[in-house]
Amino acid sequence: MTDTQTHALLGIQRPRRPSGVSNALVFGWRAALKFKYVPEQLFDLVMTPIMFTLLFTFVFGGALAGSPKEYLQFFLPGILVQTVVFNAVYSGMGLSTDLGKGLFDRFRSLPIWPLAPFAGLMVGDVLRHLIAGAIILSIGLMLGYRPEGGVFGVVAAFLLLFAIGFGMGWVFIVLGLLISTPMTVMTSGFAFLFPLVFASNIMVEPATMPEWLRVFVEVNPVSLAATAMRGLMSGAASLQDVAVALIGPAVLTILLAPTTLWLYLRR
Amino acid sequence: MTDTSTGTRLPRAGEEGLLAVSARGLKKRFGEVVAVDGIDLDVPKGMIFAILGPNGAGKTTLMRMLSTLAKPDGGSAAVMGHDLLNEPGEVRASIAMTGQFASLDEDLTGRDNLVLLARLWGFRGRSAKQRADDLLAAFDLSDAATRQVKTYSGGMRRRLDIAASLVVTPGVLFLDEPTTGLDPTARQGVWRMIRGLAQSGVTILLTTQYLDEADQLAARIAVIDKGRKIAEGTSRELKAQTGSGFLHVAIHDPMQIEKAAAILEARLKHKVRRGVEGAELSVTTDSPKDASDAIASLIDSGIEVSDFRLGSPSLDEVFFSLTGHDAS
């Protein structure tokens, strides 16, 4: 670069320091760009829920509920919860990758709101949940699922879904900060997610389970989330259903958001 | 080096406003390992200042502390007049850090990377894009602007990384090993860029493991080893401390090594360093004449010299001369 170029380059006036919200939106924009530049991740995101919905409905549906159609009515709100819970892994993996490459060193040396990069990850999460949720719902509708709660019920259910995803997001962000290899973030995350998701009422009612397991399933936050989702989508949710479903995400956020900040800033 | 005016003079007491970086007794421990063990540093504004040291000397840790990425376990420092511990936000607003590993989003294009940073600094909409394009043009990356960074060569990444540090003009630019891993052409390019920035008034604190890099770029050099600063000065001063050159002598008969070392030490009045292979000796010499006299005495004493040469000290030799032990 020539001297004149350098002078022109350095003569620039500094803009006013932007707000934390503006910082967060920039990171949200980055998350959205990832969909454009790394479309591969959409494949996982789209295929897994399609497979689960079809397999469970047609393979187990008849045996579990008499007919695939009847089972779908029970299962669809649950598979939405399951998908969102598993989706949270992407943020953690992305974070672990970024940290390994020194990208976050750049962010940390900028005068920005320290939580802004994480808010951006959350934006990416919401987009993922929205894409995956919309696909599952569309397939469900095609196969004969009917949300009796109507448009309002579905919208309310999706909002609850985002809250659940938001809570789970912190788990993987913390794992991403603690674990330096993205693959390990995924495997260790799944190691605790699988029992949590399968020992819930997402796939089957716990009536036939042994006593000790039933006790766990009934208080499992994933079950509470699935129950509230079913209620909202069928239009039969009580305020209490929704409130207890929100306890899990709220507790996770209260515990893990400060943990995130602490882990991030102490490095 | 051409800096005869302000470049080499350190500000005196009362002139602290002229310092871009001022550190006292900085310390950082990782478990049992003391990475930085009480370093004092004064970097005058507008200067290229190099921190020279081998791998593991504590260079990166020192840079990370000064750029607020790592918290010191002891000591204090001010960057552009802001206290590192009490005003980290102000410090961040007045610096830019280019780490050892490209701090870029590889999935994004070069342009998107710069737009992202421009927006984080507060440029809006069109002006963020304009800023990104100006930087790309200045760093000769316009053609690659819309390519993902993962397709960039090492030299291009480095250029983009430095461009990313100039979205707003920093008071101090920290460059951690800016040319490590680059081929000679790319290295020259980065050097030119660094000189250009310094000429425009940006203070640059860089680390390097290459003596010639420090020599080529920096007005002042601090040599650090095992977390401590062992010397500081202009490159000329450091070389003077090491002697004008280094005499390397290969002795034919290994049995005569000790005798030869004793003669060299007596004649040249400097400690003799025994090479790793055993049959080579190297020693600081104050002038070529001293060196030639010393060789003559070796031959007069009946020692068979199989090879000798006079060269500038390598980093290893500067280290040996400064510390009395090898860098590794």
Side-chain angles (χ1 to χ4, degrees), chain A residues 9 14 30 37 105-106 267, chain B residues 64 69 93 105 112 161:
Chain A
L9 203 61
R14 281 188 180 216
R30 170 174 178 246
Y37 292 122
D105 278 352
R106 162 90 59 201
R267 290 165 66 91
Chain B
R64 291 178 64 84
L69 293 177
D105 191 329
D112 287 338
D161 213 2

Side-chain angles (χ1 to χ4, degrees), chain B residues 7-164:
Chain B
T8 59
R9 194 176 65 85
L10 278 177
R12 297 186 191 86
E15 293 182 331
E16 283 82 7
L18 300 176
L19 289 176
V21 175
S22 166
R24 290 292 169 272
L26 274 187
K27 248 184 204 173
K28 182 74 185 178
R29 209 174 287 114
F30 295 108
E32 296 283 284
V33 186
V34 183
V36 173
D37 191 7
I39 284 187
D40 294 346
L41 205 63
D42 284 312
V43 180
K45 281 184 186 164
M47 183 186 272
I48 304 183
F49 192 106
I51 295 170
L52 176 66
N55 275 330
K59 303 187 297 290
T60 297
T61 306
L62 180 61
M63 295 290 259
R64 291 178 64 84
M65 283 193 284
L66 291 173
S67 55
T68 76
L69 293 177
K71 209 171 239 154
D73 293 322
S76 63
V79 178
M80 295 307 278
H82 301 293
D83 186 81
L84 199 59
L85 295 171
N86 298 325
E87 307 170 90
E90 283 78 3
V91 170
R92 286 181 202 124
S94 56
I95 62 161
M97 166 79 173
T98 303
Q100 201 169 337
F101 305 103
S103 36
L104 302 161
D105 191 329
E106 306 226 319
D107 293 329
L108 268 49
T109 64
R111 191 164 185 253
D112 287 338
N113 266 284
L114 294 178
V115 171
L116 177 81
L117 290 166
R119 290 193 177 155
L120 289 175
W121 277 106
F123 289 95
R124 285 158 186 280
R126 192 178 292 274
S127 74
K129 292 197 175 102
Q130 186 58 50
R131 186 64 186 152
D133 287 337
D134 290 349
L135 285 161
L136 288 165
F139 285 85
D140 203 13
L141 288 166
S142 295
D143 293 341
T146 54
R147 268 168 48 197
Q148 282 176 286
V149 171
K150 62 174 119 186
T151 68
Y152 282 26
S153 70
M156 290 163 78
R157 273 167 208 244
R158 253 306 96 152
R159 293 211 299 277
L160 184 63
D161 213 2
I162 295 177

